[in-house]
Amino acid sequence: MLSINHIQRASEQSEFSFGNPMLQLNEFVGIEMPKAVAFVPQTWGWWLLLSSVIALVAVYSYRRVRHWRQNRYRKQAVKKVMAAKGKPLAEFSVIVLKEIKQAISIAYGASTLVVPSNISLSSSLKGTAATQATASPDRITLAALDGHAFLLLLDITAEHNTSFNTPLGDAWLLSLLSKIEAKDAIAVQNNLAQQCCVWLMHHTPKLPSSLIVEKASADA
């Protein structure tokens, strides 16, 4: 049997809630919510992993930026060459020579000494090159290099992915000195632009060591 206290309590709850059981929810104990999970690493292992990832990203970003800065001259030179394609062949040939010489200066240094015999020098050098070759027959600066030696240097530094030491190169050198017939000028210009762009984008970042004169030998 229900005691008088139970009956009285039930009566009080019924009067308070007006018979609605939802109003009796204040008697229930609330659920204790778990503590929020922290997103900050709590152990040294996670901190070590995070530091390693940050360091790797920083090194990768630095190398990418350095590579871009060191090689942006390539794309700039290609843009200038392609923009000059509409010009006459004689003027276009001068622009190509200028951009390649400038790229050589940036990549290898215009004053770098090389051994002509190592480049399989096959033609006599003219002008300044001839004067220097007489004074110092064993070595010559890249800025003074000319003729077929220059064409060979381009093929070597492009790892033979270009074809400058060919009739195309001869036509290029000829166009710098005299006018080429119009029927041949278009083909020469198109092939020259293609080979120039290949060399500008793919020449080696360093000059092959077999071509460079050692400093001690140069000073001797």
Side-chain angles (χ1 to χ4, degrees), residues 31-52:
I31 300 175
E32 184 178 355
M33 299 298 294
K35 295 182 179 180
V37 179
F39 289 97
V40 180
Q42 301 297 310
T43 59
W44 67 268
W46 285 108
W47 280 110
L48 178 61
L49 178 61
L50 180 61
S51 301
S52 301

Side-chain angles (χ1 to χ4, degrees), residues 5-216:
N5 292 334
H6 282 88
I7 296 174
Q8 185 178 0
R9 184 179 177 184
S11 176
E12 291 176 354
Q13 289 179 351
S14 178
E15 291 177 359
F16 174 77
S17 61
F18 301 100
N20 188 350
M22 296 300 294
L23 298 178
Q24 300 179 13
L25 293 178
N26 60 342
E27 296 185 3
F28 289 93
V29 178
I31 300 175
E32 184 178 355
M33 299 298 294
K35 295 182 179 180
V37 179
F39 289 97
V40 180
Q42 301 297 310
T43 59
W44 67 268
W46 285 108
W47 280 110
L48 178 61
L49 178 61
L50 180 61
S51 301
S52 301
V53 171
I54 293 175
L56 290 174
V57 171
V59 171
Y60 175 78
S61 301
Y62 168 75
R63 289 181 176 179
R64 291 292 297 178
V65 172
R66 184 181 63 178
H67 180 269
W68 175 80
R69 294 190 63 180
Q70 290 177 343
N71 293 277
R72 61 180 175 178
Y73 73 92
R74 298 174 184 254
K75 293 183 178 180
Q76 292 173 350
V78 168
K79 288 181 179 179
K80 293 179 181 179
V81 170
M82 297 307 295
K85 279 195 67 176
K87 298 180 180 297
L89 178 60
E91 186 176 352
F92 178 74
S93 296
V94 172
I95 293 175
V96 169
L97 180 63
K98 176 184 176 182
E99 294 303 324
I100 288 181
K101 286 279 190 178
Q102 184 174 355
I104 289 177
S105 178
I106 294 174
Y108 312 130
S111 60
T112 299
L113 295 174
V114 294
V115 180
S117 59
N118 290 347
I119 313 176
S120 301
L121 190 61
S122 59
S123 63
S124 61
L125 302 178
K126 303 180 289 297
T128 305
T131 302
Q132 185 168 354
T134 302
S136 180
D138 295 330
R139 55 185 183 268
I140 190 173
T141 63
L142 288 178
L145 201 60
D146 199 358
H148 285 278
F150 176 67
L151 300 179
L152 283 167
L153 178 70
L154 297 182
D155 289 339
I156 292 173
T157 52
E159 298 180 337
H160 300 284
N161 291 318
T162 57
S163 301
F164 282 103
N165 190 35
T166 61
L168 170 64
D170 295 335
W172 178 28
L173 297 180
L174 179 61
S175 67
L176 293 170
L177 302 174
S178 61
K179 187 176 181 180
I180 295 180
E181 295 184 10
K183 63 179 182 179
D184 300 326
I186 297 177
V188 171
Q189 188 174 33
N190 290 336
N191 291 333
L192 179 59
Q194 180 184 9
Q195 293 299 312
C196 176
C197 291
V198 171
W199 185 87
L200 287 171
M201 293 303 299
H202 300 289
H203 64 269
T204 58
K206 294 182 179 180
L207 196 67
S209 58
S210 60
L211 305 181
I212 303 175
V213 178
E214 296 294 337
K215 186 174 181 181

